[in-house]
Amino acid sequence: MALDPPAPFELSTAMLQGVEIVGVPIPQDAVLVAGIVTLVALVVLSAFFSSSEIAMFSLPAHRTEALVEDAVPGAKTLKQLKSDPHRLLVTILVGNNLVNIAMSSIATGLLAMYVDSQGLAVAIATFGVTAIVLLFGESAPKSYAVENTESWALRISKPLKAAEKVLLPLILLFDYLTRVVNKITGGRSAIETSYVTREEIQDIIETGEREGVLDEDEREMLQRTLRFNDTIAKEVMTPRLDMTAVAKDASAEEALETCIQSGHARIPVYEGSLDNVIGVIHIRDLVRDLNYGEALARDMELEDLIEPTLHVPESKNVDDLLTEMRAERLHMVIVIDEFGTTEGLVTMEDLTEEIVGEILEGEEEEPIEYVDDDTVTVKGEVNIEEVNEALDLDLPEGEEFETIAGFIFNRAGRLVEEGETITYDGVEIRVEQVENTRIMKARVVRLETDETEPVDAEEASD
Ligand code: ADP
């Protein structure tokens, strides 16, 4: 489109005319200079608000806390601003929109002084302001804020607080109005919802490993930590059958012998039957009292050495259990079922293993051993979840069973013998070792899936 540029003569006449502000004539070139200065100032303000949005909302809460703890200048204001994210967003949006719209009005006004056609003035101003705002008021400052989130958030927190004070009436009004609108449109604004979810953290951990920020061990430990609060005592306990315990009326020597033979440093002490555990004894106390105590060995009462323990339901979350054991300074607790029957025991090590991974001692075998990429041998007590993870399977966990042995019994519906095989959904499980009625070891094979195999060249040519 061809534009008729204003003639130089016309321009200078227009300049002489100027404008009148509250009755005072102002020369047009003064208006132009003031207008341009204002526009530049508004672009700066627009950049300030846009970069604030990115810096304030991408700074994680834990970093804010850390900055406050380190008494970094500006951190307190930052925390205060972030404590009400809705208000903060309204402040930034009100500020940003105000300056952007003011910019466009002023630009239109200025252009109208030089361009005869009003429509053209509006068009040029709209296009020009959009371009300037996009480049200098949005894109550049936002990119800067992404790169320098923390330092920029600290630097702008005080000016942003000042902006909140200046714009307070407008902010209060829009704070209220946006809340009303959000309510009508259903639900809360995204800004008020939690910034990170557990799933997001899990994704970040996996991405972290892929990108080489975390190594495999770190990724596994972090994932186990996240899974920790979904785990219950039953899943980590040593079952009743494997418990080594001693009766209350056994002698100290017998108790010591039991400890040594079982290889455990602590053993539960029961009265009557294993369902009535009254405490725990430690080999250290037995050795000390037997060898260095004043009383003769035969006069020693086991009861004097018993330390208290806790009885916890099998459904107890292990994260709560860990907190409780640490608070009570207990290293071993007894797991009971809903009828109060002893189900097993949990030690600090069982809980630690859930986070750091299996801690094997001496001759202890790996619970899961790879035979090849599709085959593992697993101990019967291994949780189904771990088998699923090892072979990338989808074996179901039931209400009544957690372990691979439990799964086999559940599928078979009866006791099983060595050599028996069950197949389930593309998985073959062979019972390798049974002691009495208990499945000690099984071999799990992921069968070939039916997915189209690469066609053999010879077959294809037939
Ligand atoms: P320890 O080194 O004395 O065996 P830990 O607390 O290191 O004790 O536990 C190692 C593993 O042995 C854990 O799985 C725990 O459940 C189990 N365990 C510990 N004490 C006993 C016990 N008296 N009877 C059966 N299992 C036990």
Side-chain angles (χ1 to χ4, degrees):
M1 183 171 44
L3 288 181
D4 280 342
F9 173 73
E10 281 173 8
L11 190 71
S12 54
T13 330
M15 274 180 176
L16 286 173
Q17 278 171 357
V19 288
E20 253 186 31
I21 294 179
V22 266
V24 184
I26 311 270
Q28 193 164 356
D29 48 357
V31 175
L32 179 69
V33 172
I36 290 174
V37 169
T38 315
L39 280 178
V40 171
L42 289 175
V43 174
V44 172
L45 281 175
S46 176
F48 162 74
F49 285 116
S50 310
S51 58
S52 307
E53 190 181 335
I54 294 282
M56 296 307 273
F57 289 107
S58 46
L59 187 69
H62 68 267
R63 275 308 301 154
T64 319
E65 294 296 333
L67 291 169
V68 172
E69 261 170 40
D70 295 346
V72 178
K76 269 197 178 151
T77 322
L78 184 66
K79 187 179 170 187
Q80 204 189 349
L81 285 168
K82 275 176 77 80
S83 65
D84 187 348
H86 186 260
R87 166 70 67 91
L88 178 60
L89 184 69
V90 170
T91 306
I92 294 172
L93 291 182
V94 165
N96 212 355
N97 282 294
L98 212 61
V99 295
N100 289 353
I101 292 168
M103 223 187 294
S104 131
S105 314
I106 293 173
T108 315
L110 280 181
L111 277 162
M113 294 196 304
Y114 300 103
V115 183
D116 289 339
S117 150
Q118 263 193 2
L120 194 62
V122 170
I124 299 175
T126 307
F127 179 76
V129 170
T130 305
I132 289 172
V133 167
L134 214 86
L135 293 174
F136 304 107
E138 294 282 333
S139 165
K142 280 187 171 164
S143 308
Y144 178 81
V146 168
E147 290 297 316
N148 307 281
T149 308
E150 197 167 303
S151 59
W152 193 239
L154 282 168
R155 201 168 303 163
I156 47 115
S157 59
K158 286 213 166 105
L160 203 56
K161 189 82 200 153
E164 190 186 296
K165 281 195 185 128
V166 174
L167 301 171
L168 197 63
L170 276 178
I171 291 169
L172 288 180
L173 176 70
F174 284 107
D175 193 333
Y176 172 74
L177 289 178
T178 47
R179 281 178 207 273
V180 172
V181 174
N182 285 344
K183 222 180 231 167
I184 297 169
T185 52
R188 308 183 302 163
S189 67
I191 220 74
E192 284 159 89
T193 53
S194 169
Y195 275 104
V196 277
T197 61
R198 287 182 88 84
E199 288 69 37
E200 274 168 353
I201 295 177
Q202 258 148 0
D203 289 345
I204 293 174
I205 294 171
E206 272 164 31
T207 315
E209 193 199 354
R210 238 176 285 131
E211 302 283 316
V213 183
L214 298 174
D215 59 35
E216 192 186 345
D217 289 346
E218 287 173 317
R219 193 256 305 146
E220 279 179 357
M221 208 184 284
L222 289 169
Q223 283 180 325
R224 282 194 221 103
T225 312
L226 283 175
R227 233 181 290 137
F228 196 57
N229 76 336
D230 294 332
T231 310
I232 56 168
K234 190 179 178 182
E235 293 174 78
V236 302
M237 71 182 184
T238 294
R240 182 188 176 116
L241 265 179
D242 291 332
M243 269 172 73
T244 305
V246 65
K248 182 186 138 204
D249 30 80
S251 70
E253 276 154 339
E254 279 166 351
L256 182 60
E257 178 77 22
T258 315
C259 280
I260 291 168
Q261 285 201 341
S262 67
H264 294 301
R266 282 187 185 80
I267 47 176
V269 182
Y270 59 84
E271 190 170 359
S273 83
L274 203 51
D275 291 325
N276 186 24
V277 174
I278 53 173
V280 169
I281 46 161
H282 196 294
I283 192 167
R284 174 195 57 214
D285 299 328
L286 289 167
V287 172
R288 188 190 51 222
D289 276 32
L290 281 171
N291 293 309
Y292 308 101
E294 283 166 13
L296 290 172
R298 63 178 183 305
D299 298 337
M300 256 184 64
E301 286 285 340
L302 206 55
E303 218 173 332
D304 301 336
L305 302 178
I306 296 178
E307 290 167 9
T309 181
L310 211 63
H311 291 76
V312 298
E314 55 187 12
S315 57
K316 193 173 180 84
N317 271 334
V318 289
D319 59 341
D320 293 337
L321 181 58
L322 179 63
T323 313
E324 218 168 308
M325 285 173 75
R326 291 177 68 192
E328 305 284 326
R329 303 181 184 195
L330 295 174
H331 283 265
M332 180 185 277
V333 296
I334 306 298
V335 182
I336 52 173
D337 70 7
E338 59 193 302
F339 308 109
T341 314
T342 298
E343 284 264 283
L345 60 82
V346 170
T347 70
M348 266 300 179
E349 194 189 273
D350 295 315
L351 300 180
T352 326
E353 277 183 343
E354 285 304 298
I355 294 171
V356 300
E358 213 60 44
I359 305 170
L360 301 176
E361 279 182 55
E363 303 287 288
E364 216 178 320
E365 274 179 49
E366 289 276 357
I368 300 186
E369 270 176 280
Y370 279 91
V371 178
D372 59 48
D373 281 355
D374 293 321
T375 314
V376 287
T377 50
V378 290
K379 290 191 191 170
E381 73 212 30
V382 171
N383 284 350
I384 295 166
E385 204 183 327
E386 290 169 49
V387 181
N388 281 342
E389 233 166 71
L391 286 182
D392 198 15
L393 303 176
D394 221 1
L395 297 177
E397 269 178 75
E399 290 270 303
E400 325 76 30
F401 56 87
E402 311 274 348
T403 62
I404 195 75
F407 177 74
I408 298 172
F409 281 136
N410 184 275
R411 298 296 307 165
R414 57 174 167 78
L415 292 180
V416 291
E417 285 172 20
E418 270 179 20
E420 280 193 51
T421 304
I422 58 162
T423 9
Y424 177 90
D425 197 18
V427 184
E428 185 188 275
I429 306 172
R430 189 185 134 89
V431 181
E432 295 271 288
Q433 192 189 343
V434 177
E435 273 177 25
N436 300 323
T437 54
R438 190 173 177 199
I439 300 171
M440 303 302 287
K441 217 179 235 182
R443 173 183 284 245
V444 184
V445 188
R446 182 175 52 195
L447 301 175
E448 293 272 320
T449 46
D450 291 338
E451 278 167 34
T452 36
E453 301 261 28
V455 189
D456 196 304
E458 278 174 41
E459 275 175 30
S461 60
D462 284 343

